[in-house]
Amino acid sequence: MARSKMLVFSNPVAGQDTEFNEWYDTVHLDEVLAVPGVVAGERYGRVPAQLPGAGSTGQSYLAVYELDDDPDKVVQAFQERAAAGKVGLSPALDLASLVVTVWRARE
């Protein structure tokens, strides 16, 4: 049972939306799903509807990954795979606006 989520808020580099989404949908999503402890992933695009008074993170895209292992172990496995070249980044990804957070269900 997945008890943690990894949320990834991201933007493409200006003018590279097509390249960014092609990379994320056909390469990166599978790379992340291959990390031990990541059991599911889904991408979302921001819509203009907002609750009154609610702010925005400023990112256009959100990926939500379900984790079924200790988040520290999953993050370590992710970093190891990235260092080994098994998880790569696209030049179309705007690293300056990237935000990655891990959330654990409250008990």
Side-chain angles (χ1 to χ4, degrees):
M1 172 169 56
R3 299 290 298 154
S4 301
K5 308 260 190 235
M6 181 171 66
L7 279 61
V8 180
F9 295 90
S10 60
N11 283 318
V13 169
Q16 295 190 25
D17 290 47
T18 301
E19 296 87 347
F20 172 78
N21 285 305
E22 174 76 16
W23 162 74
Y24 214 117
D25 292 338
T26 64
V27 176
H28 192 62
L29 193 58
D30 288 338
E31 290 176 337
V32 177
L33 290 172
V35 173
V38 179
V39 295
E42 192 168 30
R43 290 191 67 216
Y44 300 87
R46 188 179 58 191
V47 296
Q50 295 288 327
L51 292 171
S56 170
T57 63
Q59 288 85 0
S60 298
Y61 297 98
L62 167 66
V64 178
Y65 298 98
E66 293 183 23
L67 312 181
D68 74 347
D69 201 350
D70 179 274
D72 291 328
K73 289 181 183 177
V74 176
V75 168
Q76 180 179 356
F78 183 87
Q79 291 172 327
E80 289 170 357
R81 291 181 70 83
K86 295 179 180 178
V87 176
L89 299 179
S90 168
L93 171 64
D94 177 13
L95 289 173
S97 66
L98 182 67
V99 175
V100 180
T101 58
V102 179
W103 300 74
R104 183 177 289 132
R106 294 203 30 98
E107 307 210 3

XYZ file of all heavy atoms in Angstrom:
813
model
N 0.847 -1.181 0.000
C 0.000 0.000 0.000
C 0.891 1.243 0.000
O 1.791 1.373 0.810
C -0.905 -0.025 1.231
C -1.687 1.254 1.405
S -2.998 1.204 2.635
C -2.164 0.705 4.111
N 0.630 2.133 -0.936
C 1.415 3.366 -1.031
C 0.998 4.314 0.089
O -0.166 4.663 0.220
C 1.209 4.016 -2.384
N 1.967 4.737 0.878
C 1.686 5.631 1.996
C 2.388 6.965 1.848
O 2.271 7.816 2.706
C 2.112 4.976 3.314
C 1.407 3.686 3.630
C -0.049 3.851 3.985
N -0.160 4.670 5.184
C -1.229 5.404 5.478
N -2.262 5.417 4.687
N -1.252 6.117 6.572
N 3.136 7.127 0.773
C 3.853 8.375 0.541
C 3.690 8.787 -0.911
O 3.446 7.957 -1.783
C 5.348 8.218 0.846
O 5.548 7.833 2.183
N 3.836 10.067 -1.134
C 3.765 10.617 -2.486
C 4.968 11.519 -2.714
O 5.410 12.228 -1.815
C 2.506 11.464 -2.679
C 1.218 10.779 -2.299
C 0.522 10.258 -3.491
C -0.864 9.798 -3.104
N -1.138 8.451 -3.457
N 5.494 11.485 -3.932
C 6.519 12.431 -4.346
C 5.852 13.355 -5.357
O 5.323 12.885 -6.371
C 7.726 11.725 -4.956
C 8.830 12.680 -5.379
S 10.378 11.852 -5.857
C 9.873 10.966 -7.330
N 5.858 14.650 -5.061
C 5.264 15.644 -5.943
C 6.372 16.413 -6.632
O 7.293 16.908 -5.974
C 4.383 16.614 -5.155
C 2.967 16.133 -4.814
C 2.974 14.902 -3.959
C 2.188 17.241 -4.159
N 6.276 16.497 -7.952
C 7.275 17.186 -8.751
C 6.568 18.296 -9.538
O 5.776 18.015 -10.437
C 7.991 16.225 -9.719
C 9.031 16.970 -10.537
C 8.623 15.060 -8.952
N 6.845 19.544 -9.168
C 6.302 20.708 -9.866
C 7.367 21.174 -10.852
O 8.519 21.370 -10.469
C 5.997 21.831 -8.873
C 4.915 21.487 -7.894
C 5.217 20.880 -6.686
C 3.591 21.782 -8.180
C 4.218 20.564 -5.775
C 2.588 21.472 -7.272
C 2.901 20.864 -6.069
N 6.981 21.365 -12.120
C 7.995 21.702 -13.120
C 7.453 22.612 -14.210
O 6.241 22.757 -14.383
C 8.562 20.425 -13.747
O 7.534 19.687 -14.378
N 8.389 23.179 -14.945
C 8.115 24.015 -16.115
C 9.086 23.640 -17.219
O 10.223 23.249 -16.948
C 8.353 25.505 -15.803
C 7.237 26.117 -15.014
O 6.074 25.874 -15.264
N 7.606 26.930 -14.037
N 8.658 23.834 -18.459
C 9.613 23.717 -19.555
C 10.398 25.014 -19.698
O 9.966 26.069 -19.224
C 8.719 23.499 -20.776
C 7.432 24.156 -20.425
C 7.293 24.027 -18.926
N 11.540 24.926 -20.335
C 12.269 26.126 -20.739
C 11.357 26.865 -21.720
O 10.641 26.236 -22.510
C 13.611 25.735 -21.403
C 14.267 26.932 -22.065
C 14.536 25.093 -20.377
N 11.365 28.177 -21.669
C 10.500 28.979 -22.545
C 10.635 28.535 -24.000
O 11.742 28.373 -24.512
C 10.851 30.461 -22.412
N 9.486 28.302 -24.612
C 9.462 27.919 -26.018
C 9.724 26.447 -26.284
O 9.787 26.036 -27.443
N 9.895 25.632 -25.224
C 10.215 24.216 -25.424
C 9.161 23.287 -24.827
O 9.464 22.175 -24.398
C 11.597 23.911 -24.853
C 12.697 24.631 -25.593
C 14.071 24.154 -25.197
O 14.254 23.020 -24.736
N 15.063 25.005 -25.371
N 7.911 23.723 -24.826
C 6.823 22.914 -24.268
C 6.722 21.543 -24.943
O 6.592 20.522 -24.267
C 5.487 23.644 -24.403
C 5.379 24.837 -23.495
O 6.333 25.634 -23.437
O 4.333 24.972 -22.831
N 6.766 21.520 -26.259
C 6.619 20.261 -26.986
C 7.749 19.298 -26.632
O 7.494 18.123 -26.324
C 6.586 20.513 -28.505
O 5.480 21.378 -28.798
C 6.445 19.215 -29.280
N 8.980 19.769 -26.653
C 10.133 18.916 -26.327
C 10.052 18.418 -24.877
O 10.337 17.247 -24.600
C 11.440 19.683 -26.527
C 11.705 20.088 -27.951
C 11.085 21.436 -28.347
O 10.229 21.983 -27.616
O 11.455 21.943 -29.417
N 9.670 19.308 -23.972
C 9.549 18.956 -22.557
C 8.521 17.839 -22.356
O 8.798 16.832 -21.705
C 9.152 20.200 -21.753
C 8.806 19.926 -20.325
C 9.787 19.725 -19.376
C 7.478 19.872 -19.915
C 9.472 19.477 -18.043
C 7.148 19.629 -18.592
C 8.141 19.431 -17.661
N 7.334 18.024 -22.909
C 6.278 17.030 -22.719
C 6.584 15.725 -23.418
O 6.280 14.653 -22.880
C 4.926 17.600 -23.166
C 4.398 18.597 -22.160
O 4.270 18.295 -20.982
N 4.113 19.797 -22.615
N 7.218 15.768 -24.572
C 7.621 14.548 -25.276
C 8.622 13.761 -24.419
O 8.489 12.548 -24.234
C 8.239 14.908 -26.633
C 8.829 13.736 -27.377
C 7.786 12.841 -28.013
O 6.625 13.262 -28.148
O 8.148 11.698 -28.361
N 9.628 14.450 -23.885
C 10.622 13.801 -23.026
C 9.967 13.236 -21.769
O 10.190 12.074 -21.409
C 11.723 14.806 -22.643
C 12.532 14.388 -21.462
C 13.492 13.420 -21.425
C 12.438 14.906 -20.127
N 14.008 13.308 -20.150
C 13.374 14.212 -19.344
C 11.660 15.896 -19.536
C 13.542 14.476 -17.979
C 11.839 16.156 -18.180
C 12.770 15.448 -17.427
N 9.138 14.037 -21.112
C 8.547 13.585 -19.850
C 7.654 12.374 -20.075
O 7.725 11.382 -19.342
C 7.754 14.721 -19.186
C 7.834 14.676 -17.680
C 8.419 15.697 -16.964
C 7.338 13.593 -16.967
C 8.516 15.649 -15.585
C 7.428 13.536 -15.589
C 8.008 14.561 -14.900
O 8.110 14.503 -13.529
N 6.808 12.431 -21.106
C 5.832 11.364 -21.348
C 6.446 10.094 -21.918
O 5.944 9.000 -21.656
C 4.730 11.858 -22.292
C 3.846 12.923 -21.648
O 3.777 13.006 -20.413
O 3.213 13.688 -22.415
N 7.507 10.203 -22.704
C 8.036 9.015 -23.385
C 9.344 8.488 -22.801
O 9.725 7.354 -23.098
C 8.247 9.286 -24.888
O 9.251 10.294 -25.041
C 6.955 9.720 -25.564
N 10.022 9.294 -21.980
C 11.306 8.870 -21.421
C 11.290 8.939 -19.892
O 11.463 7.929 -19.204
C 12.474 9.737 -21.971
C 13.789 9.351 -21.313
C 12.571 9.609 -23.484
N 11.101 10.134 -19.362
C 11.325 10.365 -17.941
C 10.342 9.625 -17.035
O 10.734 9.079 -16.001
C 11.301 11.859 -17.641
C 11.796 12.193 -16.268
N 13.087 11.921 -15.865
C 11.174 12.763 -15.204
C 13.244 12.313 -14.609
N 12.098 12.815 -14.190
N 9.081 9.619 -17.388
C 8.096 8.933 -16.550
C 8.481 7.475 -16.344
O 8.458 6.963 -15.224
C 6.708 9.065 -17.176
C 5.514 8.693 -16.324
C 5.460 9.508 -15.038
C 4.228 8.889 -17.105
N 8.893 6.800 -17.426
C 9.320 5.393 -17.312
C 10.585 5.247 -16.476
O 10.737 4.276 -15.729
C 9.536 4.786 -18.691
C 8.228 4.549 -19.431
O 7.168 4.451 -18.778
O 8.272 4.473 -20.673
N 11.516 6.216 -16.605
C 12.747 6.162 -15.798
C 12.422 6.243 -14.309
O 12.999 5.512 -13.498
C 13.679 7.306 -16.169
C 14.302 7.193 -17.530
C 15.141 8.404 -17.892
O 14.926 9.508 -17.336
O 16.018 8.253 -18.754
N 11.508 7.120 -13.948
C 11.148 7.269 -12.534
C 10.375 6.046 -12.046
O 10.610 5.552 -10.941
C 10.352 8.569 -12.291
C 9.910 8.675 -10.837
C 11.191 9.792 -12.674
N 9.484 5.525 -12.879
C 8.718 4.335 -12.475
C 9.605 3.100 -12.302
O 9.215 2.154 -11.620
C 7.611 4.061 -13.485
C 6.475 5.084 -13.483
C 5.528 4.835 -14.644
C 5.732 5.074 -12.157
N 10.803 3.117 -12.880
C 11.740 1.996 -12.723
C 12.523 2.070 -11.412
O 13.203 1.110 -11.049
C 12.708 1.966 -13.906
N 12.417 3.177 -10.687
C 13.118 3.318 -9.408
C 12.429 2.415 -8.381
O 11.206 2.465 -8.225
C 13.099 4.790 -8.926
C 13.683 4.915 -7.526
C 13.852 5.680 -9.911
N 13.194 1.567 -7.688
C 12.589 0.706 -6.670
C 11.820 1.541 -5.639
O 12.318 2.549 -5.143
C 13.789 0.009 -6.017
C 14.849 0.040 -7.074
C 14.638 1.337 -7.810
N 10.590 1.126 -5.376
C 9.748 1.834 -4.411
C 8.773 2.803 -5.039
O 7.847 3.267 -4.380
N 8.943 3.135 -6.314
C 7.977 3.977 -7.022
C 7.014 3.043 -7.734
O 7.419 2.270 -8.602
C 8.664 4.923 -8.036
C 7.629 5.771 -8.764
C 9.695 5.807 -7.341
N 5.743 3.082 -7.351
C 4.787 2.105 -7.874
C 3.795 2.681 -8.879
O 3.138 1.926 -9.590
C 4.029 1.397 -6.728
C 4.998 0.571 -5.894
C 3.273 2.385 -5.878
N 3.672 3.988 -8.948
C 2.747 4.604 -9.900
C 3.129 6.060 -10.090
O 3.764 6.667 -9.224
C 1.307 4.496 -9.407
N 2.730 6.601 -11.224
C 2.986 8.004 -11.494
C 1.957 8.553 -12.461
O 1.476 7.831 -13.340
N 1.629 9.806 -12.272
C 0.651 10.455 -13.131
C 1.011 11.923 -13.274
O 1.454 12.551 -12.323
C -0.741 10.308 -12.514
C -1.869 10.676 -13.414
C -3.211 10.227 -12.847
O -3.371 10.155 -11.622
O -4.111 9.966 -13.661
N 0.801 12.473 -14.486
C 1.122 13.876 -14.744
C -0.149 14.702 -14.861
O -1.171 14.229 -15.324
C 1.900 14.012 -16.052
C 3.299 13.450 -15.951
C 4.130 13.833 -17.154
N 4.373 15.276 -17.164
C 4.420 16.015 -18.259
N 4.221 15.479 -19.437
N 4.656 17.300 -18.185
N -0.008 15.962 -14.468
C -1.115 16.904 -14.524
C -0.620 18.224 -15.114
O 0.534 18.595 -14.937
C -1.657 17.199 -13.120
C -2.179 15.982 -12.401
C -1.330 15.181 -11.654
C -3.521 15.637 -12.481
C -1.804 14.062 -10.998
C -4.007 14.513 -11.821
C -3.137 13.735 -11.081
O -3.609 12.614 -10.440
N -1.529 18.927 -15.786
C -1.253 20.280 -16.248
C -2.138 21.247 -15.476
O -3.305 20.941 -15.197
N -1.573 22.390 -15.127
C -2.323 23.381 -14.341
C -3.468 23.943 -15.172
O -3.330 24.196 -16.357
C -1.398 24.510 -13.902
C -2.065 25.479 -12.927
C -1.142 26.562 -12.500
N -0.678 27.264 -13.700
C 0.306 28.132 -13.711
N 0.957 28.415 -12.632
N 0.660 28.716 -14.829
N -4.602 24.141 -14.537
C -5.756 24.781 -15.158
C -5.939 26.150 -14.523
O -5.500 26.383 -13.391
C -7.040 23.930 -15.019
C -6.890 22.608 -15.755
C -7.378 23.687 -13.560
N -6.569 27.080 -15.233
C -6.675 28.442 -14.700
C -7.608 28.585 -13.501
O -7.496 29.559 -12.772
C -7.181 29.255 -15.897
C -7.755 28.267 -16.836
C -7.068 26.968 -16.591
N -8.496 27.623 -13.265
C -9.440 27.746 -12.151
C -8.700 27.745 -10.820
O -7.861 26.894 -10.567
C -10.442 26.593 -12.182
N -8.992 28.719 -9.988
C -8.354 28.825 -8.676
C -9.413 29.166 -7.637
O -10.374 29.882 -7.931
C -7.301 29.945 -8.672
C -6.125 29.710 -9.591
C -5.195 28.619 -9.086
O -5.011 28.429 -7.901
N -4.613 27.879 -10.007
N -9.239 28.692 -6.446
C -10.103 29.102 -5.341
C -9.814 30.554 -5.013
O -8.654 30.995 -5.105
C -9.849 28.231 -4.109
C -10.273 26.774 -4.221
C -9.765 26.001 -3.021
C -11.786 26.668 -4.330
N -10.818 31.304 -4.626
C -10.576 32.702 -4.244
C -9.521 32.786 -3.145
O -9.558 32.039 -2.165
C -11.936 33.174 -3.741
C -12.924 32.254 -4.380
C -12.215 30.930 -4.513
N -8.554 33.646 -3.336
C -7.500 33.850 -2.341
C -6.369 32.845 -2.409
O -5.379 32.980 -1.710
N -6.515 31.818 -3.265
C -5.465 30.806 -3.362
C -4.348 31.294 -4.279
O -4.599 31.940 -5.282
C -6.040 29.494 -3.910
N -3.145 30.976 -3.911
C -1.997 31.343 -4.732
C -1.664 30.246 -5.717
O -2.354 29.232 -5.815
N -0.623 30.445 -6.458
C -0.150 29.469 -7.429
C 1.316 29.185 -7.153
O 2.052 30.062 -6.717
C -0.317 30.028 -8.841
O 0.349 29.206 -9.767
N 1.738 27.962 -7.439
C 3.149 27.624 -7.261
C 4.000 28.226 -8.370
O 5.200 28.319 -8.232
C 3.352 26.100 -7.268
O 2.961 25.589 -8.548
C 2.571 25.427 -6.161
N 3.373 28.602 -9.483
C 4.115 29.160 -10.606
C 4.552 28.122 -11.617
O 5.010 28.465 -12.695
N 4.410 26.849 -11.306
C 4.763 25.804 -12.258
C 3.528 25.406 -13.057
O 2.403 25.471 -12.569
C 5.344 24.570 -11.552
C 6.723 24.772 -11.011
C 6.732 25.398 -9.628
O 5.700 25.697 -9.060
N 7.918 25.610 -9.088
N 3.765 24.960 -14.283
C 2.682 24.564 -15.184
C 2.336 23.088 -15.101
O 1.257 22.686 -15.503
C 3.065 24.889 -16.630
O 3.251 26.273 -16.783
N 3.269 22.268 -14.592
C 3.060 20.825 -14.575
C 3.334 20.234 -13.194
O 4.174 20.738 -12.445
C 3.963 20.140 -15.613
C 3.629 20.563 -17.013
C 4.368 21.547 -17.647
C 2.558 20.001 -17.690
C 4.056 21.970 -18.934
C 2.230 20.409 -18.972
C 2.984 21.394 -19.588
O 2.659 21.805 -20.854
N 2.605 19.153 -12.914
C 2.773 18.416 -11.665
C 2.806 16.934 -11.998
O 1.971 16.447 -12.764
C 1.603 18.699 -10.720
C 1.444 17.780 -9.504
C 2.604 17.950 -8.530
C 0.106 18.034 -8.817
N 3.773 16.234 -11.458
C 3.799 14.773 -11.521
C 3.657 14.266 -10.091
O 4.312 14.772 -9.179
C 5.098 14.266 -12.134
N 2.774 13.295 -9.903
C 2.550 12.704 -8.583
C 2.936 11.232 -8.670
O 2.377 10.483 -9.479
C 1.076 12.838 -8.141
C 0.864 12.180 -6.784
C 0.656 14.308 -8.112
N 3.905 10.849 -7.847
C 4.380 9.474 -7.818
C 3.989 8.848 -6.491
O 4.156 9.463 -5.435
C 5.902 9.417 -7.982
C 6.369 9.970 -9.303
C 6.846 11.268 -9.401
C 6.303 9.196 -10.456
C 7.266 11.779 -10.617
C 6.721 9.698 -11.683
C 7.203 11.002 -11.746
O 7.607 11.510 -12.955
N 3.487 7.612 -6.538
C 3.161 6.868 -5.331
C 4.361 6.014 -4.940
O 4.952 5.343 -5.786
C 1.948 5.972 -5.562
C 0.683 6.754 -5.790
C -0.534 5.863 -5.937
O -0.517 4.703 -5.446
O -1.505 6.323 -6.550
N 4.696 6.057 -3.654
C 5.846 5.308 -3.128
C 5.338 4.234 -2.186
O 4.486 4.500 -1.336
C 6.791 6.258 -2.383
C 7.176 7.562 -3.089
C 8.126 8.371 -2.229
C 7.768 7.293 -4.459
N 5.893 3.023 -2.301
C 5.473 1.944 -1.405
C 6.595 1.464 -0.497
O 6.532 0.383 0.062
C 4.879 0.773 -2.193
C 5.907 -0.061 -2.929
O 7.076 0.383 -3.047
O 5.558 -1.158 -3.398
N 7.628 2.278 -0.355
C 8.744 1.956 0.533
C 9.074 3.214 1.323
O 8.519 4.286 1.058
C 9.949 1.484 -0.286
C 10.951 0.673 0.538
O 10.810 0.628 1.785
O 11.873 0.100 -0.055
N 9.972 3.083 2.253
C 10.394 4.236 3.045
C 10.860 5.342 2.097
O 11.705 5.089 1.217
C 11.530 3.817 3.973
C 12.027 4.975 4.804
O 12.899 5.724 4.308
O 11.546 5.140 5.934
N 10.334 6.562 2.227
C 10.713 7.641 1.309
C 12.219 7.893 1.241
O 12.744 8.187 0.168
C 9.977 8.867 1.867
C 8.817 8.297 2.590
C 9.298 6.995 3.161
N 12.915 7.761 2.370
C 14.364 7.964 2.356
C 15.049 6.942 1.450
O 15.983 7.269 0.715
C 14.941 7.896 3.767
C 14.518 9.070 4.632
O 14.323 10.177 4.076
O 14.385 8.884 5.849
N 14.591 5.684 1.489
C 15.157 4.640 0.632
C 14.860 4.919 -0.840
O 15.702 4.712 -1.704
C 14.600 3.275 1.011
C 15.100 2.746 2.334
C 14.507 1.381 2.594
C 14.917 0.851 3.940
N 14.286 -0.462 4.220
N 13.644 5.380 -1.120
C 13.267 5.665 -2.503
C 14.093 6.831 -3.046
O 14.608 6.767 -4.167
C 11.758 5.952 -2.621
C 11.395 6.332 -4.052
C 10.944 4.747 -2.169
N 14.238 7.884 -2.261
C 15.035 9.035 -2.696
C 16.487 8.614 -2.928
O 17.109 9.007 -3.917
C 14.926 10.199 -1.683
C 15.959 11.278 -1.963
C 13.521 10.780 -1.704
N 17.024 7.787 -2.042
C 18.395 7.305 -2.210
C 18.510 6.479 -3.500
O 19.458 6.643 -4.274
C 18.828 6.469 -1.016
C 20.251 5.950 -1.142
C 20.695 5.138 0.063
O 19.974 5.004 1.047
N 21.888 4.589 -0.023
N 17.552 5.605 -3.752
C 17.569 4.794 -4.974
C 17.464 5.687 -6.214
O 18.146 5.459 -7.221
C 16.427 3.778 -4.961
N 16.651 6.719 -6.131
C 16.516 7.667 -7.239
C 17.852 8.356 -7.511
O 18.298 8.447 -8.657
C 15.434 8.701 -6.901
C 15.173 9.678 -8.004
C 14.266 9.388 -9.003
C 15.840 10.887 -8.049
C 14.024 10.287 -10.030
C 15.615 11.791 -9.067
C 14.703 11.492 -10.064
N 18.510 8.819 -6.452
C 19.801 9.497 -6.610
C 20.859 8.558 -7.175
O 21.672 8.966 -8.014
C 20.247 10.083 -5.271
C 19.378 11.242 -4.821
C 19.686 11.704 -3.409
O 20.058 10.920 -2.541
N 19.525 12.994 -3.175
N 20.861 7.314 -6.730
C 21.826 6.333 -7.240
C 21.598 6.068 -8.730
O 22.545 5.992 -9.505
C 21.730 5.034 -6.444
C 22.272 5.164 -5.036
C 21.966 3.962 -4.160
O 21.264 3.014 -4.620
O 22.398 3.971 -2.988
N 20.334 5.942 -9.123
C 20.024 5.705 -10.539
C 20.391 6.929 -11.381
O 20.873 6.789 -12.502
C 18.561 5.331 -10.717
C 18.257 3.944 -10.123
C 16.819 3.556 -10.312
N 16.496 3.268 -11.694
C 16.707 2.110 -12.302
N 17.256 1.112 -11.648
N 16.364 1.940 -13.560
N 20.182 8.124 -10.849
C 20.548 9.347 -11.572
C 22.064 9.406 -11.752
O 22.554 9.721 -12.844
C 20.036 10.578 -10.834
N 22.813 9.081 -10.691
C 24.278 9.107 -10.770
C 24.804 8.070 -11.762
O 25.840 8.277 -12.398
C 24.881 8.868 -9.385
N 24.067 6.972 -11.926
C 24.474 5.915 -12.852
C 23.984 6.182 -14.280
O 24.200 5.352 -15.167
C 23.945 4.568 -12.363
N 23.316 7.304 -14.486
C 22.823 7.651 -15.815
C 21.535 6.962 -16.213
O 21.147 6.982 -17.377
N 20.841 6.364 -15.244
C 19.590 5.666 -15.538
C 18.367 6.575 -15.424
O 17.270 6.182 -15.804
C 19.431 4.459 -14.623
C 20.498 3.409 -14.860
C 20.334 2.241 -13.933
C 21.428 1.204 -14.193
N 21.318 0.080 -13.269
N 18.566 7.759 -14.878
C 17.530 8.799 -14.829
C 18.210 10.067 -15.312
O 19.180 10.527 -14.707
C 16.975 9.011 -13.403
C 15.973 10.156 -13.384
C 16.324 7.737 -12.875
N 17.723 10.596 -16.406
C 18.348 11.782 -16.979
C 17.415 12.973 -16.984
O 16.222 12.848 -16.719
N 17.978 14.129 -17.276
C 17.198 15.352 -17.371
C 17.288 15.890 -18.794
O 18.311 15.751 -19.460
C 17.715 16.394 -16.383
C 17.641 15.999 -14.907
C 18.212 17.103 -14.035
C 16.216 15.672 -14.496
N 16.228 16.508 -19.220
C 16.173 17.084 -20.555
C 16.614 18.540 -20.527
O 16.330 19.250 -19.553
C 14.740 17.010 -21.077
O 14.580 17.797 -22.237
N 17.273 19.018 -21.577
C 17.586 20.447 -21.651
C 16.317 21.298 -21.724
O 16.371 22.499 -21.495
C 18.410 20.585 -22.936
C 18.588 19.234 -23.493
C 17.823 18.255 -22.677
N 15.171 20.673 -22.009
C 13.900 21.409 -22.073
C 13.281 21.619 -20.686
O 12.301 22.332 -20.545
C 12.912 20.675 -22.976
N 13.864 20.998 -19.644
C 13.388 21.165 -18.267
C 14.012 22.406 -17.649
O 15.235 22.545 -17.631
C 13.758 19.938 -17.433
C 13.533 20.014 -15.925
C 12.058 20.170 -15.588
C 14.110 18.780 -15.242
N 13.175 23.292 -17.131
C 13.653 24.505 -16.461
C 14.023 24.149 -15.018
O 13.159 24.071 -14.151
C 12.571 25.579 -16.497
C 12.976 26.848 -15.755
O 14.172 27.003 -15.417
O 12.088 27.690 -15.519
N 15.293 23.893 -14.782
C 15.752 23.478 -13.452
C 15.569 24.564 -12.402
O 15.398 24.261 -11.217
C 17.223 23.060 -13.507
C 17.494 21.746 -14.240
C 18.990 21.519 -14.385
C 16.834 20.590 -13.518
N 15.579 25.826 -12.798
C 15.444 26.925 -11.838
C 14.078 26.936 -11.170
O 13.943 27.423 -10.041
C 15.703 28.260 -12.523
N 13.062 26.381 -11.815
C 11.715 26.400 -11.235
C 11.273 25.034 -10.712
O 10.158 24.880 -10.219
C 10.697 26.911 -12.263
O 10.591 26.002 -13.343
N 12.145 24.043 -10.795
C 11.808 22.685 -10.366
C 11.672 22.606 -8.846
O 12.539 23.074 -8.114
C 12.898 21.713 -10.837
C 12.681 20.242 -10.522
C 11.503 19.686 -11.300
C 13.945 19.455 -10.852
N 10.568 21.987 -8.388
C 10.354 21.770 -6.961
C 9.936 20.304 -6.775
O 8.961 19.851 -7.378
C 9.248 22.702 -6.391
C 8.956 22.365 -4.935
C 9.629 24.156 -6.564
N 10.695 19.581 -5.933
C 10.387 18.175 -5.654
C 10.204 18.039 -4.142
O 11.075 18.432 -3.367
C 11.527 17.238 -6.123
C 11.185 15.789 -5.821
C 11.821 17.449 -7.593
N 9.050 17.493 -3.755
C 8.782 17.285 -2.330
C 8.231 15.878 -2.131
O 7.611 15.319 -3.030
C 7.764 18.301 -1.778
O 6.542 18.209 -2.507
C 8.300 19.718 -1.875
N 8.484 15.303 -0.961
C 7.964 13.974 -0.624
C 7.061 14.138 0.592
O 7.414 14.813 1.561
C 9.113 12.983 -0.334
C 8.548 11.625 0.047
C 10.037 12.865 -1.548
N 5.898 13.508 0.502
C 4.871 13.624 1.535
C 4.512 12.250 2.072
O 4.338 11.300 1.290
C 3.627 14.284 0.967
C 3.879 15.651 0.444
C 4.522 15.989 -0.723
C 3.543 16.876 1.067
N 4.599 17.349 -0.855
C 3.989 17.916 0.226
C 2.903 17.204 2.263
C 3.827 19.260 0.554
C 2.718 18.529 2.573
C 3.177 19.545 1.735
N 4.402 12.126 3.377
C 4.019 10.867 4.023
C 2.630 11.027 4.607
O 2.307 12.073 5.175
C 5.031 10.549 5.135
C 4.763 9.223 5.824
C 5.833 8.905 6.863
N 7.088 8.566 6.196
C 8.272 9.063 6.518
N 8.395 9.929 7.499
N 9.348 8.697 5.866
N 1.797 9.986 4.481
C 0.451 10.015 5.037
C 0.517 10.165 6.553
O 1.358 9.548 7.199
C -0.309 8.744 4.661
N -0.358 10.994 7.091
C -0.410 11.166 8.548
C -1.145 9.998 9.158
O -2.103 9.499 8.609
C -1.119 12.467 8.890
C -0.284 13.630 8.393
C -0.519 14.937 9.062
N -0.934 14.942 10.427
C -0.124 15.115 11.486
N 1.165 15.256 11.285
N -0.600 15.128 12.686
N -0.665 9.575 10.274
C -1.276 8.416 10.941
C -2.060 8.842 12.140
O -1.918 9.842 12.697
C -0.174 7.445 11.325
C 0.640 7.139 10.115
C 1.245 5.778 10.108
O 0.998 5.010 11.039
O 1.940 5.480 9.150
